[in-house]
């Protein structure tokens, strides 16, 4: 009971406190309601005042907006009026600048022209036929003409041909496998190119393209002058080498890369020209024709200018390619893209015509030379054709988009040269086959015939241009060798041709040999020629080519040489008649120097010695005049003679020298073994 009482008291105290808190809360609520009511009253009053303000301000705002719009319309109207009035006064304002021309400042001039153009457009629509319009149009046309004139003058004044030194540098760089193009600054300064682009763009915006004809005419002339300048420069540089001996023409450096990989190792002689003319000159008079149907040296060397022109032509072809590629790059931005191919084609036409014409002149020269049987002239075509074939793909790529006749110019020229060259090569075979068999044309000493040396020299030149010569021959019979790979067909065709030439040469030589009455000189003649042919084939590695067609050529010539040696050895038959003891043998067995021989035997021995002396003198007199120019063959033939004769003579001398067949042995035994050897070593030596 005692514990319960405090608890009840605590509850009563708590209730009392809560009642007091409730009373305080109710008072707060009442005060809050009063404040809320007061705030609502204030807000309602403020809302009423804002409504009254809005009713007062809205008319003023609307009136102000209207005034602002009126002001803007007035300003726009004044601006439009000023703009329109400017169209009527632009001619007067711009006339001094237009009359001065664009040279005073291109950018300012173009701005003036744009203002005139806009005035023309406005007046055409709004005041057509007015005096102001006529004045503006007249001034605009004058300004446009001045722009076209400035374009033309800038091209003429600042344009220049590409210098010969630059072209040589560009072409020589290709020898080192360095791709180098002609800088655009060689044609025009960069600032001028930029101005020309501005003028071109403005003229095109005015639908005026007459300036393109000026561009074609001026750039075409400079392109041709660049080629002519290079040719003149090379002529000047070549004057000293042509008269002084060694060939160090600047053109030949450019040409060095044009060589095909030869079958034989090429000489290191730097030359723009194939080896034939130089080789002919080195050969001297031995190659000068004397009645032969195939002329090699004289008439070609008489026309030295043609050789030089050929050198320059090869250089010109390369230079033309570089120049037209540079022209194509130069016109970018100056000529509109849609018209670039047309302009480019017309621009380069004159230069291409010039190069093609020069090529046709070379072709005509070769044709005229062939009518005079000057077969060496065809060699001129090989470096030209090789160069044209080398640059043909690049030409076709550069001329892409041009008309077919322009694109086919190089191909047509190649076809023309191929046809002329193939006919010349076939005529060469006919000339060899039909070379006349005149006694006056035959070497009296049996040396190598000029036809042989000239023919082998000519064939050696073909090897330096193996693929070109083979391709030339293929044009006459494109369906031949169908089972051979394309890459091998030209070489195989050349091998076939060389085989045909050698066959015709061999037949002609055999026919010519019949002009000799003596079998010994006939054998020496054929031996010299067959040996010369074989050595030439080996030295030039021509056998490697010929064996692609006929692998028995070497064996054939070796057998011919052996056979002619055998025939030549028969020239000793009259000598052997007296010393071989095959006829009228005299038995000397058991005969001492004191033994007296029968008169018949003595006379027979005397007859043998006398006959031998006579025949050895005669054969020495004849054969020392024979010529064998090859030292190796000459020594070999002398040794063969020793090996053939000396055993017989030694035995003959041993058998009879100690017999008592005469009281005056010196009269009959005139030659000892050493004397006969000396005679034999004097063969083929006119000074012996």
């Amino acid at each position: 009971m005692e514990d319960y009482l405090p608890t009840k008291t605590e509850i009563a105290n708590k209730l009392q406190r809560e009642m007091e808190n409730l009373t305080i809360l109710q008072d707060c609520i009442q005060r809050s309601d009063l404040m809320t009511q007061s705030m609502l009253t204030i807000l309602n009053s403020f809302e009423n005042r804002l409504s009254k303000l809005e009713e007062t301000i809205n008319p003023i705002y609307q009136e102000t907006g209207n005034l602002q719009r009126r002001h803007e319309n007035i300003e726009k109207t004044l601006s439009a009026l000023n703009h329109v009035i400017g169209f009527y006064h632009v001619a007067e304002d711009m006339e001094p600048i237009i009359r001065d021309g664009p040279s005073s400042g291109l950018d300012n001039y173009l701005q003036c022209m744009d203002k005139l153009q806009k005035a023309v457009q406005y007046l055409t629509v709004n005041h057509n036929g007015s005096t102001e319009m006529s004045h503006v149009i007249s001034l605009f046309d004058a300004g446009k003409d001045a722009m076209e004139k400035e374009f033309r003058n800038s091209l003429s004044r600042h344009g220049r041909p590409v210098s010969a030194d630059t072209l040589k540098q560009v072409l020589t760089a290709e020898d080192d496998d360095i791709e180098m193009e002609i800088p655009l600054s060689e044609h025009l300064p960069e600032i001028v190119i930029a101005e020309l682009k501005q003028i071109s763009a403005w003229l095109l915006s005015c639908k005026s393209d007459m300036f393109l004809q000026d561009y074609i005419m001026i750039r075409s002339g400079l392109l041709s002058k660049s080629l002519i300048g290079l040719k003149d420069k090379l002529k000047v540089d070549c004057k000293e080498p042509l008269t002084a001996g060694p060939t160090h023409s600047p053109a030949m450096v450019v040409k060095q890369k044009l060589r095909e990989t030869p079958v034989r190792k090429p000489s290191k002689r730097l030359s723009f020209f194939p080896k034939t003319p130089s080789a002919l000159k080195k050969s001297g008079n031995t190659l000068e024709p004397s009645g032969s149907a195939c002329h090699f040296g004289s008439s070609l060397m008489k026309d030295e200018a043609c050789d030089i022109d050929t050198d320059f032509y090869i250089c010109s072809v390369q230079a033309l390619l570089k120049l037209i590629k540079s022209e194509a790059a130069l016109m970018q931005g100056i000529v509109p893209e849609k018209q670039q191919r047309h302009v480019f084609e017309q621009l380069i036409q004159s230069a291409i015509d010039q190069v093609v014409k020069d090529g046709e002149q070379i072709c005509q020269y070769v044709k005229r030379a062939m009518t005079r049987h000057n077969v060496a002239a065809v060699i001129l075509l090989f470096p030209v054709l090789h160069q044209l074939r080398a640059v043909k793909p690049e030409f076709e790529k550069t001329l892409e988009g041009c008309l077919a006749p322009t694109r086919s110019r190089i191909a047509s020229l190649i076809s023309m040269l191929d046809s002329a060259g193939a006919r010349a090569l076939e005529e060469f075979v006919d000339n060899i086959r039909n070379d006349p068999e005149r006694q006056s044309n035959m070497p009296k000493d049996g040396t190598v015939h000029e036809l042989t040396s000239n023919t082998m020299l000519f064939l050696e030149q073909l090897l330096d241009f193996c693929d070109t010569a083979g391709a030339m021959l293929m044009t006459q019979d494109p369906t031949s060798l169908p089972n051979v790979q394309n890459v091998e067909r030209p070489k195989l065709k050349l091998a076939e041709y060389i085989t045909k030439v050698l066959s015709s040469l061999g037949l002609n030589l055999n026919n010519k040999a019949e002009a000799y009455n003596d079998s010994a000189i006939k054998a020496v003649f054929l031996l010299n020629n067959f040996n010369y042919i074989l050595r030439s084939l080996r030295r030039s590695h021509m056998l490697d080519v010929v064996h692609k067609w006929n692998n028995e050529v070497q064996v054939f010539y070796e057998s011919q040489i052996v056979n002619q040696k055998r025939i030549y050895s028969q020239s000793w038959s009259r000598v052997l008649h007296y010393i071989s003891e095959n006829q009228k043998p005299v038995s000397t067995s058991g005969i001492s120097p004191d033994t007296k021989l029968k008169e018949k035997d003595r006379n027979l021995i005397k007859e043998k010695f006398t006959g031998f002396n006579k025949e050895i003198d005669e054969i020495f007199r004849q054969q020392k005049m024979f010529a064998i120019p090859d030292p190796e063959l000459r020594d070999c033939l002398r040794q063969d003679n020793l090996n053939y004769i000396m055993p017989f003579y030694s035995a003959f001398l041993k058998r009879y020298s100690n017999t008592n067949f005469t009281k005056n042995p010196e009269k009959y035994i005139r030659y000892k073994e050493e004397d006969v050897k000396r005679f034999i070593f004097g063969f083929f030596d006119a000074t012996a």
Side-chain angles (χ1 to χ4, degrees):
M1 188 66 179
E2 292 178 356
D3 295 333
Y4 175 74
L5 289 176
T7 303
K8 188 175 179 180
T9 301
E10 291 176 358
I11 292 172
N13 291 335
K14 287 182 179 182
L15 179 61
Q16 184 62 35
R17 287 193 299 272
E18 292 297 330
M19 290 298 291
E20 292 175 356
N21 291 336
L22 179 61
T23 301
I24 294 171
L25 181 62
Q26 287 175 346
D27 290 340
C28 290
I29 291 173
Q30 288 177 0
R31 287 195 301 270
S32 176
D33 289 342
L34 290 175
M35 292 176 67
T36 301
Q37 187 63 36
S38 176
M39 182 62 69
L40 288 173
T41 302
I42 293 171
L43 289 173
N44 288 332
S45 175
F46 184 71
E47 183 178 2
N48 290 332
R49 289 180 180 180
L50 283 176
S51 298
K52 291 179 181 179
L53 180 62
E54 183 178 2
E55 290 174 358
T56 303
I57 293 299
N58 272 342
I60 296 173
Y61 175 76
Q62 290 175 357
E63 184 63 26
T64 302
N66 291 335
L67 290 174
Q68 287 178 342
R69 283 192 294 274
R70 289 190 188 102
H71 179 71
E72 290 174 357
N73 289 338
I74 290 171
E75 286 184 345
K76 289 180 180 178
T77 301
L78 289 174
S79 176
L81 285 173
N82 288 332
H83 183 67
V84 170
I85 291 171
F87 290 145
Y88 287 89
H89 295 287
V90 69
E92 296 177 2
D93 297 338
M94 300 295 107
E95 187 168 4
I97 299 175
I98 299 302
R99 297 304 180 193
D100 288 343
S103 57
S104 58
L106 181 61
D107 291 336
N108 186 38
Y109 192 87
L110 288 175
Q111 292 176 3
C112 294
M113 290 300 297
D114 288 338
K115 291 179 181 179
L116 286 173
Q117 187 176 18
K118 291 176 182 178
V120 170
Q121 293 171 352
Y122 174 82
L123 293 173
T124 301
V125 175
N126 298 285
H127 206 173
N128 194 7
S130 64
T131 305
E132 291 81 359
M133 178 182 173
S134 300
H135 190 190
V136 170
I137 291 177
S138 174
L139 191 61
F140 178 79
D141 289 341
K144 187 172 69 171
D145 291 342
M147 290 286 282
E148 292 176 346
K149 183 179 180 181
E150 178 66 16
F151 184 90
R152 181 169 57 254
N153 290 343
S154 292
L155 270 179
S156 301
R157 183 168 57 250
H158 300 287
R160 55 183 180 269
V162 179
S163 68
D165 291 333
T166 299
L167 282 174
K168 284 161 56 181
Q169 183 181 359
V170 170
L171 299 181
T172 305
E174 299 230 337
D175 292 341
D176 303 324
D177 297 327
I178 300 174
E179 186 65 25
M180 183 176 178
E181 300 297 340
I182 299 172
L184 296 184
S185 58
E186 282 292 321
H187 300 289
L188 291 164
E190 292 183 5
I191 187 171
V192 175
I193 294 176
E195 290 180 352
L196 290 175
K197 289 180 179 180
Q198 282 184 285
I199 297 174
S200 169
W202 188 88
L203 289 172
L204 289 171
S205 69
C206 297
K207 303 186 184 306
S208 174
D209 59 1
M210 293 299 295
F211 71 97
L212 295 178
Q213 291 301 318
D214 295 329
Y215 185 87
I216 291 171
M217 180 182 67
I218 295 171
R219 292 307 310 166
S220 176
L222 291 173
L223 177 58
S224 297
K225 288 180 180 178
S226 297
L227 289 174
I228 295 172
L230 175 64
K231 187 173 181 179
D232 292 342
K233 173 68 174 176
L234 294 178
K235 282 183 177 179
V236 171
D237 291 346
C238 284
K239 280 183 179 179
E240 182 177 349
L242 285 175
T243 56
T247 307
H248 298 290
S249 164
M252 60 75 186
V253 180
V254 178
K255 175 65 173 65
Q256 188 68 22
K257 67 182 279 289
L258 304 178
R259 290 279 187 164
E260 297 177 39
T261 302
V263 178
R264 61 190 173 94
K265 184 178 180 181
S267 70
K268 295 183 180 180
R269 179 182 67 90
L270 297 176
S271 174
F272 225 140
F273 189 67
K275 296 180 182 178
T276 300
S278 298
L280 287 170
K281 294 171 193 173
K282 290 178 182 178
S283 299
N285 295 331
T286 59
L287 298 183
E288 284 295 316
S290 56
S292 173
C294 300
H295 302 311
F296 284 74
S298 58
S299 47
L300 185 62
M301 287 186 285
K302 287 177 183 177
D303 202 347
E304 184 69 26
C306 183
D307 300 350
I308 303 305
D309 287 344
T310 305
D311 297 349
F312 297 151
Y313 179 75
I314 293 170
C315 189
S316 296
V317 171
Q318 275 190 305
L320 174 64
L321 177 59
K322 289 294 183 182
L323 286 168
I324 65 175
K325 288 172 69 175
S326 183
E327 289 290 345
L330 179 64
M331 67 172 56
Q332 300 298 322
I334 299 177
V335 179
E337 186 175 354
K338 290 183 179 180
Q339 294 178 279
Q340 280 181 5
R341 286 293 92 184
H342 172 70
V343 170
F344 178 69
E345 182 173 6
Q346 288 189 310
L347 187 156
I348 65 175
Q349 203 64 241
S350 177
I352 290 182
D353 288 344
Q354 178 182 334
V355 171
V356 170
K357 182 180 178 181
D358 290 344
E360 290 173 347
Q361 287 178 347
I362 293 174
C363 183
Q364 292 302 320
Y365 166 77
V366 172
K367 289 181 178 179
R368 290 194 303 270
M370 292 309 298
T371 61
R372 302 190 300 270
H373 304 294
N374 182 5
V375 295
V378 72
I379 297 296
L380 295 172
L381 296 180
F382 293 128
V384 173
L385 272 170
H386 173 59
Q387 169 64 1
L388 290 174
R389 281 197 171 91
V391 300
K392 182 173 176 281
E394 261 194 284
F395 263 107
E396 291 177 344
K397 182 179 178 180
T398 306
L399 297 176
E400 200 171 301
C402 297
L403 296 178
T406 302
R407 296 198 310 271
S408 63
R409 295 296 296 278
I410 299 298
S412 299
L413 180 59
I414 290 175
S415 178
M416 177 191 299
L417 295 176
D418 271 334
S419 178
R423 286 198 299 271
L425 291 177
E426 290 302 323
E427 185 174 338
F428 176 65
V429 178
D430 294 337
N431 288 342
I432 292 174
R433 186 181 299 116
N434 301 320
D435 193 56
E437 304 164 14
R438 293 195 294 265
Q439 181 68 38
S440 60
N441 193 34
M442 296 298 293
K444 296 180 180 180
D445 55 3
T447 190
V448 178
H449 197 279
E450 64 175 355
L451 177 65
T452 303
S453 58
N454 288 341
T455 300
M456 297 310 298
L457 177 62
F458 180 80
L459 293 179
E460 286 179 26
Q461 312 315 308
L462 299 186
L463 295 182
D464 285 342
F465 301 94
C466 184
D467 290 336
T468 300
M472 180 185 289
L473 293 165
M474 290 291 297
T475 59
Q476 298 298 100
D477 188 13
T479 60
S480 64
L481 309 175
N483 299 324
V484 181
Q485 294 181 354
N486 288 338
V487 69
E488 291 294 328
R489 289 175 69 188
K491 292 182 180 179
L492 197 57
K493 191 67 177 177
L494 180 61
E496 178 189 9
Y497 175 78
I498 293 175
T499 305
K500 185 191 299 185
V501 171
L502 293 176
S503 176
S504 298
L505 177 61
L507 180 62
N508 191 285
L509 289 173
N510 278 294
N511 291 336
K512 288 182 183 302
E514 297 302 320
Y516 292 111
N517 296 323
D518 183 67
S519 60
I521 187 66
K522 182 189 300 184
V524 167
F525 172 76
L526 292 175
L527 182 60
N528 275 326
N529 283 273
F530 290 145
N531 179 71
Y532 182 87
I533 292 171
L534 183 58
R535 287 181 65 85
S536 296
L537 292 173
R538 287 171 175 165
R539 182 186 64 253
S540 63
H541 300 285
M542 202 183 306
L543 272 176
D544 298 338
V545 177
V546 175
H547 281 173
K548 293 177 181 294
W549 180 258
N550 185 347
N551 58 8
E552 296 182 356
V553 171
Q554 180 173 347
V555 174
F556 169 78
Y557 281 109
E558 288 175 347
S559 65
Q560 288 295 313
I561 289 172
V562 171
N563 185 51
Q564 294 307 320
K565 284 182 178 180
R566 180 186 60 79
I567 296 174
Y568 165 76
S569 67
Q570 295 175 3
S571 64
W572 289 97
S573 60
R574 289 182 298 175
V575 175
L576 292 176
H577 172 78
Y578 294 102
I579 63 175
S580 65
E581 295 294 312
N582 289 331
Q583 296 183 5
K584 300 180 180 179
V586 177
S587 176
T588 58
S589 57
I591 299 179
S592 65
D594 298 329
T595 304
K596 186 176 181 181
L597 297 175
K598 296 179 182 180
E599 184 177 355
K600 178 182 177 181
D601 292 336
R602 289 198 307 273
N603 291 336
L604 187 56
I605 295 172
K606 291 178 183 179
E607 182 182 338
K608 285 178 176 291
F609 275 105
T610 302
F612 170 79
N613 294 336
K614 178 182 177 182
E615 294 300 334
I616 196 69
D617 287 342
E618 179 63 21
I619 198 171
F620 174 70
R621 183 186 62 80
Q622 289 180 346
Q623 297 202 18
K624 75 173 184 178
M625 303 306 296
F626 292 174
I628 298 184
D630 180 11
E632 184 178 339
L633 178 62
R634 185 167 59 243
D635 293 341
C636 178
L637 209 57
R638 286 170 176 171
Q639 191 61 47
D640 288 346
N641 285 337
L642 282 176
N643 296 338
Y644 185 49
I645 294 300
M646 289 311 298
F648 287 102
Y649 187 65
S650 297
F652 174 75
L653 201 59
K654 182 178 179 181
R655 181 177 296 117
Y656 295 114
S657 61
N658 293 324
T659 59
N660 189 13
F661 68 92
T662 180
K663 294 180 180 179
N664 190 14
E666 292 80 7
K667 178 180 176 181
Y668 297 96
I669 308 177
R670 291 168 51 189
Y671 302 116
K672 298 179 181 179
E673 293 182 40
E674 292 75 13
D675 297 327
V676 175
K677 289 180 181 179
R678 189 180 69 256
F679 278 174
I680 291 176
F681 277 107
F683 283 12
F684 323 123
D685 183 2
T687 62

